[in-house]
Amino acid sequence: MTTQHIDKLAGVPCETHAQSEGRPLRIGDGFEAQSYQHAEFSGLMDPLIMVDHFTMTKPTFGTHAHAGLSAVTVLFEDSEGAFHNRDSLGNDLDLAPGDLYWFKAARGALHNEETRPGARTHALQVFVNLGAEHRHDEPSAFHVAAADIPQLTGDRATARLVLGEAGGFRGAVAPDNPLTLLDIDIKAGGQFTHNGRKDHYAWIIAIKGASRVTWNTGSANLRPGKAIAFADATNISFSSEEGAHVVLFRGQPLRQAFVQRGPYAMGTAEELDAVEAAYRSGRLGSLD
């Protein structure tokens, strides 16, 4: 949805955790976001490339292309009204509060998301990297309605299992590479613990309220806007004295080099040039 730079990432991180408060982003009078980029997290955001925590009240971006990645939209339950989603695969639907839409652009496809009149969309827009063997796949997409998302319970805490497996439950399955997504609400004095695989990286963003996250080798205080990433964790616990809303992504790192240019990510700049040429010539389809 956003970002207009070229960046590259490869290899194994030399640090075990990293944190950032991102950067503010405003477009017109209908879009505000805090944007987080993989380069800010010493490789520990892998397989995520970018996350925008945004509020949209007016159509902002228009029809645009994606390629070499999946563009994932996660609506929070406090969104109001409908978020109209269309793509060149023929999908045309309204996302409701709490829904997820996974758009695997792969070799290239067109996308458009905009608020319906009077709506206020509070959400995350996430760019998920694709392994080199999947960057030229056929595009695909799926929608998960809020009513179909399992809910886990902790001590005065609940978590929506938007993707992946946790606590003996299974949510929607991310294509190609394992990814767990937990949307966690902690009441005052509450606690929630997630147990997962040590070889999966964790990336956490604090949405609302003050909380504390603790994992096998460390801990950190979280406040709204702060994001943290770390490796080598099995148990991850959250607690809050006043109540908080946090989101946890936990995924298998790809550890593959890629080059990003705005809404595209490919292995080389030449591949990016080819995608842009395909877009200009109309070979990525249309929304008509």
Side-chain angles (χ1 to χ4, degrees):
M1 181 184 291
T2 60
T3 66
Q4 295 297 324
H5 66 280
I6 298 176
D7 214 341
K8 185 176 285 188
L9 174 70
V12 179
C14 59
E15 300 180 26
T16 59
H17 71 278
Q19 58 190 37
S20 172
E21 296 187 2
R23 65 180 180 88
L25 178 67
R26 182 189 293 267
I27 300 176
D29 60 357
F31 180 88
E32 293 185 13
Q34 199 72 13
S35 184
Y36 305 85
Q37 312 294 326
H38 64 85
E40 301 165 18
F41 295 93
S42 303
L44 294 166
M45 200 180 193
D46 190 6
L48 309 183
I49 295 174
M50 177 214 81
V51 176
D52 278 355
H53 173 207
F54 74 91
T55 300
M56 184 187 294
T57 56
K58 295 180 180 179
T60 301
F61 295 96
T63 300
H64 53 281
H66 290 292
L69 51 74
S70 293
V72 182
T73 306
V74 185
L75 269 65
F76 292 127
E77 293 178 294
D78 64 354
S79 290
E80 301 169 5
F83 196 44
H84 189 201
N85 188 301
R86 296 184 297 149
D87 59 48
S88 55
L89 310 183
N91 297 301
D92 187 338
L93 72 159
D94 283 338
L95 304 184
D99 286 7
L100 171 136
Y101 192 75
W102 186 293
F103 181 57
K104 178 183 172 182
R107 69 185 188 189
L110 304 188
H111 194 208
N112 187 308
E113 290 181 312
E114 59 186 29
T115 53
R116 290 291 195 182
R120 173 187 174 275
T121 299
H122 179 209
L124 299 179
Q125 172 86 165
V126 186
F127 286 176
V128 182
N129 199 11
L130 292 175
E133 68 276 21
H134 295 295
R135 289 179 188 144
H136 296 278
D137 287 356
E138 285 279 346
S140 61
F142 65 88
H143 168 230
V144 182
D148 296 327
I149 295 174
Q151 185 163 288
L152 313 181
T153 58
D155 178 9
R156 283 171 286 177
T158 57
R160 300 192 315 130
L161 180 58
V162 182
L163 293 167
E165 298 183 16
F169 293 85
R170 174 175 289 184
V173 178
D176 307 319
N177 197 49
L179 183 67
T180 296
L181 197 175
L182 286 164
D183 182 16
I184 305 166
D185 180 67
I186 309 167
K187 304 301 182 185
Q191 182 174 332
F192 181 84
T193 298
H194 171 60
N195 302 317
R197 292 175 50 173
K198 187 177 181 180
D199 61 340
H200 284 197
Y201 291 172
W203 190 86
I204 296 158
I205 180 171
I207 304 299
K208 181 180 179 181
S211 61
R212 186 167 183 82
V213 58
T214 302
W215 63 100
N216 301 60
T217 58
S219 62
N221 292 322
L222 300 175
R223 60 185 181 276
K226 183 176 180 179
I228 186 168
F230 49 83
D232 300 326
T234 51
N235 297 349
I236 302 174
S237 294
F238 300 89
S239 59
S240 177
E241 294 183 0
E242 64 181 47
H245 179 193
V246 298
V247 176
L248 166 65
F249 290 86
R250 196 164 190 170
Q252 177 72 54
L254 294 171
R255 299 192 181 98
Q256 293 183 0
F258 67 90
V259 183
Q260 181 193 359
R261 183 184 297 155
Y264 312 126
M266 285 290 181
T268 66
E270 289 75 18
E271 286 180 288
L272 292 178
D273 291 342
V275 167
E276 291 188 334
Y279 176 46
R280 289 193 299 270
S281 66
R283 285 180 283 132
L284 298 188
S286 74
L287 269 61
D288 297 332

